[in-house]
Amino acid sequence: MKNNCKILILFIGISLFLFSSCNTVKYVADNEHLLKKNTVNVNDKKNKTNDVLDYIIQRPNKTALTIPVGLNFYNLGNKEFLNSYEVWKDSFPGREKTLKAVLSEKQSRVYRKARIDFNNWFFKKGEAPVILDSAKTRLTAERLQEEFIHRGYFRAKVSYNQDLKENKKATVVYNIKTDTIFKLDSITTVIKSPILDSIFELHKDKTLIKPGIDFNINTFENEADRITKLYRNLGVYHFSRNSIGFKGDSTSNTYKSDILMTIANRLIDKNDTILVVPYQIQKIAKVNIFTDYSYKRKDEVYGNKENFGGYHYLTHDKFKYNPKLFSNFIFIEPNTVYSDINNDLTRRNLRRLKNFRLVNINYNEIDSTNLEANIYLTPYKKYSINPSLEVTHSNIKQFGISGKASLLTRNIFKDASILQFSVQGAFFNSKDAATNDKAFFNAWEFGGDISLIVSRIMFPIPTEKIIPKRMLPRTKFTLGTSFQKNIGLDKQKFTGIIDYNWESSKRISHRLEVFNTQYIKNLNVDAYFSVYRSEYNNLVEVSESIGNTPPEYFDVNGDLIPLPYIDYVLDPTNGFETTNPDEYQETQNIDKQYDIITENVIIPMITYEFIYNTRENFNDPNYAFFRARIASAGGLTNIFLKEPEDESKKEILGIPVAQYIKLDLEYKKFWGNSIDKVLAFRTFLGIAIPYGNSDEIPFSRSYFIGGANDLRAWKIYDLGPGATKSGLEYNVGSLKILSSLEYRFKIINSFKGALFVDAGNIWDITDSDIIEPEGKFTGFDSLADIAVGSGLGIRYDFSFLVIRLDAGFKTYEPYQPNGKKWFTNYNFGNAVYNIGINYPF
């Protein structure tokens, strides 16, 4: 697998090199010029901002790392292919006769068509040369001038120069002289409708257009949006943004512009006659909710009607929802003024319930001051089965196939709640499988869970004042279990969770898990020294160093029996602590590591997660993301469990209870003018501190580093802690720092590339005596142990998912001796090749 990945990366590199030397003007005619570059100078200074460059109509062919890959791919095609084919066929006497002897007439046609299609494929998938068009250059200059006038430079002048070179290439330079920007002077408002004028005056302090600020058309656009939202959220249902107009005077020699803002009356088209009437505030006089609407039955009379809290429920069949509970999902309230916000919240909340296939809201005008709201809901079927199948890959699970089936029961308690029962399983090939089975799929997982999702906060005390319904609260109860075979020590997990979710704003969401308890049981402890082979090898070295090992500590094959031998070395009566102190200490460390990893544990947690996300939509290339999560494990056990008299660990049913505090902080930032060119940054800080009942963080809750979504120049678990190079199969720590910077760009069509740098490491901050001093975090000096990896990747975008291959090169290795930390293993032979699904962050 590694060799195949290496060959692919080399092939990509060689291809890019060859593409860089292609003849880019192959299909540029003698009287044409290939556009190579556009330059925009604003007041004699080169402009690099996209808000100006976006107005250029004709742009050079797209490049990847300065190479016009799409153009070079296009040029691989042969526009004279048909003539060339005939020349090839006739170039040797008898070739056509030979072809006819080998191929039938039909096969010959198929062969010829295949060659034609393959040649045309280069033209379809490549990018044709961008030929300089003077008309588009002139139009670009006009657009630039218009844009700068919109920005307040009413006397801006734009000129351009087309530099036509002898090698059939051309560059264009646009020169913009802005002159002085105009400022806003007096601002006059003329609002025809009295009610609109009153509202505007009450909120005048929020206006965006003020005397003295720069003239900019965007300011007026934003002010129009603000006014529209203001009116429509204060009951002016029919208000149209088109009613707002701005007029500016740009003839002054003082570079000041007087502004007139007008807001016209409402226009009504009635019987082919346009009526002009003042806008009015309108109230919601009646709310009708149709909970089983269907287009096929739209003309049938609704036989069942019920009223609650001013809401009118209408159904064809019997009522399936509790009106008292269902009313909590509706933000359009009777006897309140119309509001876009309430309308959107209602639609969004009803869709979030996952009970309705279609949600449609419309309004009928009863009279000039009253509206009737109609909410049409088309429900899903009560029961549904959702199967899924996917291919998985990670550094541990080399290749896997996983499947999941979920049975959904909707509206289980007549409150739109969802009961979901899921079973999932996976078979995969694992390089660390604890088995001698030669089958390709040598490990598996199986599990199931049941969950109940309720669209409100279910808590013993009222929470409406803290988390009102407009925050779209949700409660989820989950019980689950899973089994894992041939991965590590084989685990069984039992999980119980009660979590609350709500959104305090469009960008801020919260998650509180008041109960998150997991019981982790190791099912195959006997395989420890087979899975953690390095520990077994260390123990063998101890036995060889001490020597004279009694024969009863070897099996019939002559292999050391680990656990009895550990007891033998640590037995005080044998005196190895005195005679062989180093070997004794090593054995003690192996024994402690064994106890930590093989220990069954209960982890009762309370967690809180805060997320701030500015992403507007899936295609937004510019956004920031911040996540903070704090978890307290075992805190409540101090209340319910007494301190054991023998000072041993607190237990529940004989199982130790883990106690620790854990904090995760993650920040991501993305910059780009399109999804095809993005600079992505990610940084993460995690810290876990054991206390009370625990001296160590449970293995499953510890931090690791490396892998396809992490520090990509190292395999998962291979690095750390700190500057140590333990050789252990699974290295973990209680402190983690990670940062990544990645430049993502388009190569051609759906193929995309990336250049990245990752930096990070893990350390131990507990009092553990089995971690070497180099693995401890002691302060800022330990930051010198941050490992650095860099590399490149190729991705294929299927639109619904991205498949990627990243090659990570070890750039800085903190465990190497001084003088060899940088670039010692920076080569393809020591690179790590990661196959992943979707982007790493």
Side-chain angles (χ1 to χ4, degrees):
M1 181 69 177
K2 181 177 179 180
N3 290 333
N4 291 337
C5 293
K6 188 188 302 184
I7 292 171
L8 180 57
I9 292 291
L10 286 171
F11 172 76
I12 294 168
I14 293 171
S15 298
L16 289 175
F17 174 76
L18 293 175
F19 269 17
S20 66
S21 59
C22 288
N23 178 18
T24 56
V25 295
K26 178 180 178 180
Y27 290 122
V28 177
D30 291 338
N31 61 338
E32 295 177 336
H33 291 81
L34 178 71
L35 179 60
K36 289 294 294 180
K37 186 179 180 181
N38 288 313
T39 302
V40 178
N41 296 322
V42 180
N43 295 327
D44 299 324
K45 292 183 179 180
K46 186 176 180 179
N47 177 84
K48 295 182 180 180
T49 59
N50 292 323
D51 61 343
V52 173
L53 299 179
D54 285 345
Y55 290 90
I56 297 178
I57 298 173
Q58 193 174 34
R59 307 184 189 191
N61 291 94
K62 295 178 181 178
T63 62
L65 302 179
T66 72
I67 301 172
V69 178
L71 172 60
N72 289 339
F73 194 81
Y74 180 93
N75 287 340
L76 291 176
N78 182 2
K79 291 188 176 181
E80 300 295 327
F81 175 76
L82 292 178
N83 292 335
S84 299
Y85 178 79
E86 296 300 326
V87 170
W88 170 82
K89 190 177 65 174
D90 298 336
S91 59
F92 292 98
R95 175 169 282 175
E96 183 174 9
K97 184 177 180 181
T98 302
L99 285 175
K100 290 182 178 180
V102 175
L103 302 175
S104 66
E105 183 177 347
K106 181 178 180 181
Q107 290 173 327
S108 180
R109 288 198 304 269
V110 171
Y111 173 72
R112 187 171 184 272
K113 183 179 184 301
R115 293 198 60 182
I116 293 172
D117 290 343
F118 179 72
N119 181 71
N120 291 338
W121 177 66
F122 291 107
F123 298 125
K124 291 179 180 178
K125 298 300 181 181
E127 184 183 10
V130 176
I131 305 301
L132 177 65
D133 186 333
S134 297
K136 291 181 179 179
T137 303
R138 184 172 59 256
L139 184 58
T140 294
E142 293 173 0
R143 288 181 58 175
L144 285 170
Q145 182 163 357
E146 182 181 2
E147 171 58 20
F148 274 83
I149 290 173
H150 287 167
R151 296 184 186 189
Y153 298 99
F154 293 131
R155 297 172 185 175
K157 301 295 182 183
V158 179
S159 61
Y160 61 87
N161 177 51
Q162 299 181 145
D163 185 7
L164 308 180
K165 303 181 183 299
E166 293 182 359
N167 59 359
K168 296 185 181 180
K169 297 177 183 180
T171 59
V172 180
V173 178
Y174 298 93
N175 294 298
I176 304 172
K177 300 292 185 180
T178 63
D179 202 348
T180 304
I181 193 170
F182 273 64
K183 303 281 187 179
L184 302 192
D185 197 10
S186 65
I187 299 172
T188 305
T189 58
V190 177
I191 303 175
K192 296 294 185 179
S193 301
I195 191 66
L196 297 190
D197 188 46
S198 298
I199 294 174
F200 181 84
E201 289 299 321
L202 286 173
H203 298 84
K204 194 174 183 179
D205 58 321
K206 301 289 194 332
T207 185
L208 302 178
I209 52 174
K210 300 175 182 179
I213 69 171
D214 292 345
F215 185 104
N216 193 311
I217 197 69
N218 291 332
T219 305
F220 297 100
E221 296 286 344
N222 294 335
E223 174 69 359
D225 290 339
R226 184 192 72 85
I227 293 172
T228 302
K229 291 178 181 178
L230 175 68
Y231 288 152
R232 290 187 61 83
N233 285 312
L234 290 177
V236 189
Y237 169 71
H238 288 289
F239 185 78
S240 170
R241 189 178 184 277
N242 294 330
S243 297
I244 304 173
F246 297 97
K247 187 176 181 180
D249 177 16
S250 60
T251 60
S252 171
N253 291 325
T254 60
Y255 294 98
K256 294 182 179 180
S257 177
D258 296 325
I259 302 300
L260 172 64
M261 183 186 76
T262 60
I263 301 179
N265 279 327
R266 176 187 172 191
L267 302 179
I268 302 175
D269 186 354
K270 188 173 183 180
N271 298 326
D272 296 328
T273 301
I274 302 298
L275 303 179
V276 181
V277 299
Y279 281 107
Q280 297 288 339
I281 290 177
Q282 294 181 296
K283 288 186 176 182
I284 308 296
K286 187 177 182 181
V287 180
N288 301 317
I289 304 172
F290 304 84
T291 59
D292 62 354
Y293 172 82
S294 69
Y295 183 79
K296 292 181 179 179
R297 304 179 68 182
K298 65 183 179 65
D299 296 325
E300 295 183 16
V301 176
Y302 287 88
N304 297 298
K305 299 180 181 180
E306 186 171 333
N307 297 329
F308 179 83
Y311 294 101
H312 302 272
Y313 290 88
L314 301 93
T315 63
H316 291 296
D317 304 318
K318 65 179 183 178
F319 288 107
K320 297 180 180 179
Y321 296 91
N322 183 323
K324 180 179 179 181
L325 297 175
F326 197 84
S327 299
N328 290 324
F329 309 137
I330 310 299
F331 296 89
I332 303 169
E333 300 179 359
N335 300 316
T336 62
V337 298
Y338 171 82
S339 167
D340 272 355
I341 292 176
N342 291 339
N343 183 77
D344 294 341
L345 275 173
T346 300
R347 179 182 288 105
R348 183 180 171 195
N349 200 28
L350 290 171
R351 287 175 176 170
R352 191 176 64 99
L353 296 176
K354 296 182 179 180
N355 271 240
F356 304 103
R357 183 168 53 87
L358 294 175
V359 176
N360 185 32
I361 304 173
N362 62 37
Y363 297 85
N364 296 326
E365 189 171 69
I366 299 174
D367 53 43
S368 62
T369 59
N370 292 287
L371 297 171
E372 177 186 58
N374 297 298
I375 303 173
Y376 297 96
L377 306 173
T378 302
Y380 286 112
K381 293 181 180 179
K382 185 176 182 65
Y383 302 99
S384 66
I385 297 177
N386 300 326
S388 64
L389 186 69
E390 64 179 359
V391 176
T392 61
H393 173 86
S394 71
N395 282 320
I396 294 178
K397 303 171 185 178
Q398 294 291 295
F399 180 83
I401 297 176
S402 65
K404 181 177 181 179
S406 300
L407 172 64
L408 269 68
T409 304
R410 297 181 175 88
N411 194 31
I412 187 71
F413 299 119
K414 293 189 175 182
D415 61 348
S417 57
I418 294 178
L419 182 67
Q420 178 174 303
F421 175 72
S422 300
V423 292
Q424 55 270 340
F427 294 92
F428 43 84
N429 170 265
S430 172
K431 65 176 183 178
D432 296 320
T435 178
N436 294 320
D437 191 351
K438 300 299 181 181
F440 180 76
F441 290 113
N442 54 12
W444 54 266
E445 288 178 328
F446 178 79
D449 62 69
I450 185 169
S451 62
L452 175 66
I453 303 173
V454 182
S455 293
R456 63 182 186 278
I457 297 294
M458 297 188 68
F459 201 70
I461 60 175
T463 60
E464 287 80 6
K465 292 184 178 180
I466 304 172
I467 308 174
K469 71 176 186 177
R470 66 176 52 252
M471 292 186 180
L472 309 182
R474 188 188 70 175
T475 304
K476 185 176 182 180
F477 303 89
T478 303
L479 286 174
T481 185
S482 65
F483 300 85
Q484 189 181 76
K485 185 68 174 175
N486 290 340
I487 289 293
L489 302 181
D490 300 345
K491 286 182 173 58
Q492 182 177 11
K493 298 178 183 179
F494 295 94
T495 304
I497 302 174
I498 302 174
D499 75 71
Y500 304 103
N501 290 268
W502 68 94
E503 301 172 11
S504 55
S505 71
K506 182 180 179 181
R507 295 181 171 181
I508 297 175
S509 62
H510 310 261
R511 181 178 183 180
L512 175 65
E513 294 178 339
V514 295
F515 180 84
N516 182 337
T517 299
Q518 188 172 69
Y519 167 50
I520 302 174
K521 181 181 180 181
N522 292 295
L523 301 177
N524 191 14
V525 176
D526 293 340
Y528 177 84
F529 288 99
S530 296
V531 175
Y532 299 87
R533 197 66 188 177
S534 60
E535 294 286 78
Y536 177 79
N537 293 335
N538 291 340
L539 199 59
V540 170
E541 291 179 5
V542 168
S543 70
E544 293 174 348
S545 179
I546 293 177
N548 298 319
T549 302
E552 60 266 27
Y553 298 110
F554 295 94
D555 62 18
V556 294
N557 297 317
D559 295 327
L560 189 69
I561 305 175
L563 292 180
Y565 183 74
I566 290 175
D567 294 338
Y568 165 71
V569 174
L570 298 182
D571 187 344
T573 62
N574 292 324
F576 291 122
E577 186 175 7
T578 302
T579 60
N580 300 83
D582 292 339
E583 290 79 5
Y584 182 88
Q585 182 63 49
E586 178 67 17
T587 304
Q588 197 172 51
N589 290 344
I590 293 173
D591 187 47
K592 288 182 179 179
Q593 185 82 350
Y594 173 86
D595 289 340
I596 292 170
I597 294 179
T598 62
E599 182 181 52
N600 299 329
V601 65
I602 289 180
I603 308 175
M605 291 194 303
I606 297 176
T607 71
Y608 169 72
E609 184 177 69
F610 170 90
I611 292 178
Y612 175 79
N613 190 355
T614 65
R615 193 173 192 178
E616 296 293 335
N617 53 63
F618 181 77
N619 292 320
D620 187 0
N622 282 288
Y623 69 95
F625 174 92
F626 173 75
R627 179 179 68 90
R629 184 178 185 269
I630 185 168
S632 174
L636 293 179
T637 58
N638 289 328
I639 302 174
F640 302 108
L641 298 179
K642 295 182 179 180
E643 199 75 37
E645 295 181 1
D646 58 358
E647 297 185 356
S648 61
K649 293 184 177 181
K650 296 179 181 180
E651 296 181 344
I652 297 176
L653 301 177
I655 304 167
V657 176
Q659 290 187 311
Y660 62 88
I661 299 291
K662 189 175 184 182
L663 174 66
D664 293 341
L665 300 173
E666 183 180 26
Y667 176 76
K668 294 184 287 187
K669 176 66 177 175
F670 300 84
W671 300 269
N673 57 354
S674 72
I675 59 174
D676 290 334
K677 284 188 179 181
V678 175
L679 182 64
F681 172 75
R682 177 263 308 269
T683 189
F684 174 87
L685 171 65
I687 182 170
I689 303 173
Y691 71 93
N693 212 43
S694 300
D695 298 321
E696 307 279 350
I697 305 299
F699 179 81
S700 62
R701 294 294 188 270
S702 298
Y703 296 108
F704 63 86
I705 199 161
N709 301 321
D710 208 270
L711 191 57
R712 284 164 279 185
W714 279 265
K715 295 180 181 179
I716 191 171
Y717 291 111
D718 270 7
L719 179 65
T724 63
K725 191 170 177 60
S726 66
L728 296 175
E729 286 78 8
Y730 299 91
N731 294 290
V732 295
S734 48
L735 171 68
K736 178 176 180 177
I737 297 176
L738 174 68
S739 290
S740 299
L741 184 67
E742 181 171 282
Y743 176 60
R744 301 165 183 169
F745 54 90
K746 184 175 181 179
I747 298 176
I748 181 173
N749 297 316
S750 296
F751 282 100
K752 300 183 179 181
L755 300 174
F756 61 84
V757 177
D758 302 322
N761 209 334
I762 54 173
W763 294 266
D764 179 69
I765 58 171
T766 70
D767 294 328
S768 174
D769 54 6
I770 65 174
I771 302 296
E772 299 176 35
E774 294 84 356
K776 298 283 188 177
F777 188 86
T778 57
F780 286 107
D781 291 343
S782 295
L783 296 179
D785 298 333
I786 289 179
V788 180
S790 56
L792 68 160
I794 184 170
R795 292 88 192 270
Y796 189 86
D797 191 345
F798 288 95
S799 73
F800 59 92
L801 64 84
V802 175
I803 301 294
R804 61 186 168 89
L805 169 63
D806 292 335
F809 301 91
K810 295 176 177 63
T811 309
Y812 178 82
E813 301 171 79
Y815 45 79
Q816 295 284 6
N818 290 331
K820 293 187 177 181
K821 295 180 184 292
W822 287 98
F823 302 107
T824 297
N825 293 301
Y826 197 89
N827 51 60
F828 282 101
N830 290 291
V832 174
Y833 300 92
N834 302 280
I835 296 177
I837 296 176
N838 293 325
Y839 291 105
F841 60 91

